Amino acid sequence: MTAMQGKNEQYYKAYLTYNRISRRALLRGVFHPAEQATQIREFRLAPRPPFAAAEDLFLAACNGCGACVAACPYNLIRISGQKAMLELEYAACDLCGKCAESCSTHALHPAFKKDTQLRPHFSEHCLLKQNQFCAVCQEICPQQAISADLQLNHEVCNGCGECKLACFVSAIQLI
Ligand code: SF4
Ligand code: SF4
């Protein structure tokens, strides 16, 4: 068994003990016919609310009930394809955790990472890239994750989206 497989197995065993979803449903979501390996997909098929389980576990557990949609004070969550997805178009997420608290299947759970896993990308419209002065995104970032030369501290950023909403030339995309 590779170290990664061991890590993944530990992860989903812990998840199973924590959750009421059946082992069969979880394995259906986690193991793909094409890959016999015990890999848990980490990359997101769509932006998810913070506190989401790893993508495969999330897909297996989320039943699209909409409790998180109703719980979010900023209407940031919608259901697409019977799964919750996050949209930070008109407001930022303050990571309040109400979505995670409302989730009965534990697809979202307060014990999971307090992070939307989205990160800002700066386009050529950014004034700094045009040798003009601007510090709007740096100043608004609650995590102080953006440096004066637009380097992002990926570990410190939690994907809240404040920078994207503050940028008045729409130079920031969250990916
Ligand atoms: S953490 Fe709070 S603001 Fe963010 S998506 Fe969940 S309910 Fe909405
Ligand atoms: S850089 Fe700061 S403001 Fe932008 S998403 Fe990350 S934490 Fe939020």
Side-chain angles (χ1 to χ4, degrees):
M1 181 188 296
T2 66
M4 177 59 82
Q5 283 171 342
K7 188 173 160 225
N8 282 339
E9 288 195 11
Q10 274 175 2
Y11 187 100
Y12 80 75
K13 275 180 191 154
Y15 191 83
L16 278 172
T17 57
Y18 213 80
N19 292 278
R20 285 173 300 220
I21 59 174
S22 75
R23 188 176 179 83
R24 184 184 295 262
L26 180 62
L27 296 182
R28 243 198 334 264
V30 171
F31 299 117
H32 308 285
E35 319 160 7
Q36 292 303 313
T38 53
Q39 293 286 311
I40 291 179
R41 179 164 43 200
E42 292 287 347
F43 69 86
R44 297 289 179 198
L45 295 177
R48 302 297 178 203
F51 309 99
E55 185 71 3
D56 279 326
L57 299 174
F58 175 86
L59 292 174
C62 176
N63 61 14
C65 73
C68 56
V69 176
C72 178
Y74 308 110
N75 296 318
L76 301 179
I77 305 174
R78 71 179 174 89
I79 302 296
S80 172
Q82 285 199 307
K83 308 293 170 196
M85 66 175 283
L86 184 71
E87 283 187 336
L88 299 181
E89 290 304 317
Y90 306 109
C93 167
D94 65 6
L95 300 147
C96 66
K98 290 191 165 63
C99 51
E101 286 162 19
S102 75
C103 179
S104 62
T105 68
H106 296 174
L108 310 175
H109 192 279
F112 294 147
K113 214 169 174 202
K114 192 175 180 180
D115 190 337
T116 69
Q117 298 180 343
L118 293 166
R119 294 294 180 266
H121 288 253
F122 305 90
S123 79
E124 295 309 312
H125 297 296
C126 169
L127 297 181
L128 285 180
K129 290 194 178 186
Q130 297 176 22
N131 296 322
Q132 298 179 54
F133 178 76
C134 180
V136 168
C137 60
Q138 294 157 43
E139 284 169 5
I140 202 146
C141 175
Q143 298 291 105
Q144 298 181 318
I146 305 172
S147 70
D149 61 352
L150 286 188
Q151 296 303 308
L152 180 73
N153 185 331
H154 284 259
E155 295 306 312
V156 168
C157 172
N158 56 26
C160 70
E162 291 284 3
C163 53
K164 172 191 156 81
L165 287 150
C167 178
F168 53 90
V169 293
S170 302
I172 299 180
Q173 247 193 312
L174 294 172
I175 296 174

